[in-house]
Amino acid sequence: IKSPIARYNRYGLTGCLNFYNSSFKNTHITANAIYSSCEDVVNIIDSSGQIQNLEVYGASADGLDIDFSDLRIDSLLVSNALNDCVDVSQGNYQIKSGSLNSCGDKAISIGEKSLFVAKDIVIDQANIGIASKDSSDSLVDFLTIKKTNICAEAFQKKQEFFGAKLQVNNLLCNAEAFNKDKNSFITVL
């Protein structure tokens, strides 16, 4: 009988590399978790500041998971995540430039009352390009999506939140599918 793999370590954290209550300034992070069983390769919780360069490779679930934080990321690369490449919730997030490749589910998942602003994001291969949910407000200036089934979605998932907003100023997407519920808005200019 195989024992189940724990979702979190003895401290209740889910990442191979965890940052808790951290302050970043011109930080560079590279994490490669090929052959590991961590739920998140990089897990950032209750942190703030600026990360200059963040690279994540080979996730058995999510590549980058950030919660309860106020972060700016200048350059982001996430490649080969079996679930979401980027999953953020309950915080303020800014990404200047992002490249997300080979994402098993969502390239970007924004949830639980987050404010998400991105300048230029390129997604290559994901089931869903970007999802804004549960009272989140998301804005992407330039978004290029290749090899995806659904370009974007906005919806309410949890009853304690409302719908979500997603605005994309310049969109190039191989698919024409968009999903939204009656409480949410997707605007493509």
Side-chain angles (χ1 to χ4, degrees):
I1 298 174
K2 286 185 176 180
S3 63
I5 297 172
R7 289 186 56 207
Y8 49 87
N9 66 18
R10 64 183 179 181
Y11 303 106
L13 301 174
T14 60
C16 292
L17 178 59
N18 297 290
F19 296 92
Y20 175 74
N21 198 18
S22 299
S23 180
F24 298 101
K25 184 176 180 183
N26 295 323
T27 305
H28 296 265
I29 300 169
T30 301
N32 188 337
I34 295 174
Y35 309 118
S36 74
S37 60
C38 305
E39 182 170 328
D40 311 311
V41 175
V42 176
N43 186 18
I44 301 173
I45 303 167
D46 194 26
S47 297
S48 63
Q50 181 252 346
I51 298 173
Q52 192 169 14
N53 187 43
L54 177 53
E55 297 179 13
V56 178
Y57 303 95
S60 60
D62 291 346
L64 173 63
D65 190 302
I66 310 173
D67 302 298
F68 311 108
S69 296
D70 187 357
L71 287 175
R72 187 179 94 218
I73 301 171
D74 293 339
S75 177
L76 173 64
L77 169 64
V78 180
S79 184
N80 295 312
L82 293 182
N83 194 38
D84 298 339
C85 277
V86 176
D87 185 353
V88 299
S89 64
Q90 293 195 2
N92 296 313
Y93 306 102
Q94 295 179 43
I95 298 175
K96 187 173 180 181
S97 171
S99 177
L100 311 171
N101 309 302
S102 298
C103 310
D105 189 16
K106 298 171 196 71
I108 304 172
S109 178
I110 304 147
E112 299 179 0
K113 210 172 182 180
S114 288
L115 176 60
F116 180 88
V117 178
K119 180 69 177 166
D120 188 11
I121 301 288
V122 176
I123 296 166
D124 188 358
Q125 193 173 341
N127 181 38
I128 299 164
I130 185 169
S132 184
K133 55 189 183 285
D134 294 332
S135 302
S136 293
D137 195 350
S138 306
L139 169 65
V140 181
D141 203 15
F142 293 92
L143 180 59
T144 302
I145 304 174
K146 303 176 226 173
K147 299 180 201 160
T148 190
N149 297 317
I150 299 169
C151 293
E153 59 184 15
F155 59 95
Q156 176 185 356
K157 182 177 179 181
K158 299 178 180 176
Q159 68 181 9
E160 62 268 29
F161 295 100
F162 299 105
K165 296 177 190 174
L166 171 61
Q167 179 178 322
V168 180
N169 292 336
N170 299 280
L171 175 66
L172 178 60
C173 183
N174 71 290
E176 294 185 14
F178 294 87
N179 292 333
K180 73 170 197 67
D181 65 14
K182 64 181 182 176
N183 300 318
S184 301
F185 298 94
I186 296 176
T187 305
V188 178
L189 303 177

